[in-house]
Amino acid sequence: MSSSNHSLLERVRRPSSQAERHLATAADYPPIDAQSADSYEQFMHTQFEGLGQSSLVILDSTPQSQSKIFRRSKGVGGDETEMMANLDVSLKIGQFERAAALIARLAHYHPPGSPEYLQLHNRYMKGMVGHMILARDHSMVAPLQKWFEVDMPATAVVPDAITYALMLRVSLRMLHGARRERTVRRYWDLAQNAGVEEELVGLEVLEDSDVGELSKICSSDMLNLISKYMDFSQLETTATPDYNATTDDTPEVNAANLKGLGLSSLRQSMTSFGKELHLPATFK
């Protein structure tokens, strides 16, 4: 090989000092032969000069929005979407132990104390109440009370009007005698202390018959509640009733729908008996 060719080859192999100072790129290095282990090792251990730690960009290959997937235990597990679907199915077919386990797992996505976690508890309770009333299963009353009085406080879940309405409904429908009245008064007092009694009476959770029974057990409280919305002076009459008259002056009671009337239904019922209703002076 001639000396001129040798010098040309050396210049090609030896990078200039200016080339050494710029940032290294893949174009500055020869292509990697996939079949050459030496070439691959040499490339992987190459020291990229001129790059500080602040210049490095580290990419996390794990998606930030990826949901945690729980390992299945006794058929309970999966991601949030799957567990929510399984919760609906469990409540519909009456598998309440499985539903409770799913709600415990779902606390990872909806922390205790959040509105979403309260909604899960209300869904669970609504499923239990509907099932036990339909099946007349009195054995479910105690587990529901434990869920409300023990499990919910343990996970910092604060009941709302729907929660108290469900407990009142199951007490009115499933209990009897002195225990029924005592339990209804207790849950009504709790609702009053929480300041949700007005909202509670107007919910569709309580049917018209439930509100009527509640007004019998907690009559003074219900009158106090209704007095905020009614002008009882309209119910008074100064005329002396003529008991010798043959005309039947009994007011006609209009039929009402079964659901969703709550306070309005109770107010209309009392208004219809306005001529015969004798109220204390405190309600004028």
Side-chain angles (χ1 to χ4, degrees):
M1 179 181 297
S2 64
S3 58
S4 60
N5 292 338
H6 181 73
S7 300
L8 179 61
L9 183 59
E10 287 297 328
R11 285 199 299 271
V12 173
R13 292 180 176 178
R14 185 187 306 128
S16 65
S17 58
Q18 182 179 1
E20 292 176 353
R21 287 195 298 269
H22 80 283
L23 295 178
T25 64
D28 295 327
Y29 295 88
I32 302 175
D33 186 358
Q35 297 180 355
S36 174
D38 294 338
S39 300
Y40 178 77
E41 291 294 330
Q42 180 182 0
F43 177 79
M44 293 301 296
H45 293 87
T46 300
Q47 298 295 328
F48 294 98
E49 299 179 358
L51 292 177
Q53 293 184 354
S54 61
S55 303
L56 298 178
V57 178
I58 301 175
L59 300 178
D60 187 0
S61 59
T62 303
Q64 296 296 325
S65 60
Q66 182 177 1
S67 300
K68 180 176 180 180
I69 300 178
F70 288 90
R71 181 179 299 177
R72 293 187 177 278
S73 176
K74 297 181 180 180
V76 177
D79 60 9
E80 180 185 8
T81 302
E82 184 178 358
M83 287 193 289
M84 290 291 284
N86 289 334
L87 176 62
D88 290 336
V89 174
S90 299
L91 293 175
K92 289 179 180 179
I93 63 178
Q95 292 187 358
F96 297 106
E97 291 185 3
R98 187 166 183 263
L102 285 165
I103 291 177
R105 288 287 185 94
L106 286 167
H108 172 78
Y109 304 100
H110 306 291
S114 64
E116 293 80 9
Y117 200 55
L118 171 61
Q119 185 179 8
L120 291 175
H121 279 262
N122 285 341
R123 286 174 58 188
Y124 174 81
M125 294 176 62
K126 185 177 181 180
M128 286 192 71
V129 171
H131 180 84
M132 73 174 72
I133 291 177
L134 183 63
R136 306 305 301 168
D137 188 352
H138 292 81
S139 65
M140 296 179 64
V141 175
L144 179 66
Q145 290 179 323
K146 177 180 178 296
W147 182 270
F148 172 75
E149 300 180 14
V150 179
D151 297 338
M152 290 181 65
T155 54
V157 179
V158 180
D160 62 358
I162 296 177
T163 316
Y164 290 114
L166 288 168
M167 295 307 298
L168 284 169
R169 177 170 168 79
V170 75
S171 301
L172 290 166
R173 295 299 184 96
M174 301 299 295
L175 302 181
H176 305 280
R179 182 189 176 191
R180 176 176 182 258
E181 293 191 7
R182 183 174 62 252
T183 306
V184 168
R185 290 182 183 276
R186 179 170 180 269
Y187 291 140
W188 174 254
D189 289 341
L190 291 174
Q192 283 186 311
N193 293 335
V196 297
E197 69 275 14
E198 295 181 16
E199 180 184 358
L200 179 155
V201 176
L203 294 174
E204 291 188 1
V205 174
L206 296 176
E207 295 185 359
D208 228 28
S209 58
D210 298 325
V211 177
E213 290 297 316
L214 181 62
S215 65
K216 294 178 182 178
I217 298 174
C218 307
S219 56
S220 61
D221 292 333
M222 295 297 286
L223 285 175
N224 285 330
L225 181 61
I226 295 173
S227 67
K228 298 179 182 180
Y229 301 95
M230 294 184 65
D231 182 7
F232 283 103
S233 61
Q234 298 177 357
L235 303 180
E236 297 177 354
T237 177
T238 57
T240 303
D242 184 6
Y243 295 103
N244 296 323
T246 58
T247 304
D248 186 4
D249 293 331
T250 303
E252 180 181 357
V253 179
N254 296 327
N257 294 330
L258 292 179
K259 293 186 178 181
L261 293 181
L263 186 60
S264 299
S265 172
L266 187 59
R267 183 173 59 206
Q268 291 173 2
S269 298
M270 295 187 67
T271 304
S272 65
F273 290 97
K275 293 182 179 180
E276 300 178 1
L277 183 62
H278 300 285
L279 296 170
T282 56
F283 297 106
K284 292 183 180 180

